[in-house]
Amino acid sequence: MKIAVKDGKILIKEADATQMAIMKSWNKLKWNKSLQMMVGECDLEILQRLSTIVRLPGSIDAIRKKMEDVQEAVDAERIRKEPKPLAHYPVKKSLYTHQVRAANMALLTFGMVDPEEEAMAYEK
């Protein structure tokens, strides 16, 4: 099986019948007739599921690891009692705790703050 990630899509080619049946059961990938491959959004769930049936190439495994790190940082932010702002938010009034938490999670999710930077902000 050949796997590639391009423009936020995962492309899978030359899968055997068993692998194809497993991937179809997930209902996240669609067969592209013109390209002769399975195509779908590249998200953490798909990459984790694929890693259970095949060994992911190094570059794609790095993408999976990065997505896992972001998800762990967002989950940690979700349960943090006293979140600290990870950036200067352009608002006039002070933000409530839940607003700081949501803004921090958005920065992490959209890649504007690295999960390692977030961890260092709380170590200080």
Side-chain angles (χ1 to χ4, degrees):
M1 178 185 322
K2 295 180 181 178
I3 304 171
V5 175
K6 184 177 180 183
D7 298 329
K9 301 275 187 193
I10 189 154
L11 311 168
I12 302 170
K13 201 174 206 179
E14 298 176 12
D16 64 25
T18 305
Q19 293 167 336
M20 191 68 78
I22 292 169
M23 288 186 293
K24 283 183 181 178
S25 72
W26 300 337
N27 290 327
K28 291 207 143 228
L29 300 168
K30 301 288 182 210
W31 179 254
N32 186 318
K33 199 173 188 179
S34 63
L35 297 174
Q36 294 292 302
M37 63 178 70
M38 297 290 281
V39 179
E41 290 296 320
C42 182
D43 62 9
L44 182 58
E45 181 185 359
I46 285 291
L47 293 178
Q48 287 177 328
R49 287 182 177 192
L50 277 172
S51 70
T52 62
I53 61 172
V54 296
R55 175 179 231 146
L56 295 176
S59 60
I60 295 175
D61 198 42
I63 293 170
R64 182 179 64 87
K65 177 69 174 126
K66 178 75 172 166
M67 287 180 174
E68 283 177 347
D69 291 345
V70 168
Q71 185 62 47
E72 288 171 8
V74 168
D75 290 343
E77 191 67 34
R78 182 175 287 124
I79 60 173
R80 192 162 278 128
K81 298 233 189 282
E82 295 294 325
K84 297 178 186 174
L86 297 178
H88 174 71
Y89 299 117
V91 293
K92 292 182 181 180
K93 303 277 184 171
S94 328
L95 295 174
Y96 290 105
T97 303
H98 71 280
Q99 292 171 321
V100 172
R101 185 176 293 118
N104 289 347
M105 289 171 25
L107 289 177
L108 288 163
T109 301
F110 293 115
M112 300 174 102
V113 172
D114 192 59
E116 293 172 5
E117 291 176 25
E118 182 258 353
M120 289 190 313
Y122 287 100
E123 289 176 0
K124 293 178 184 177

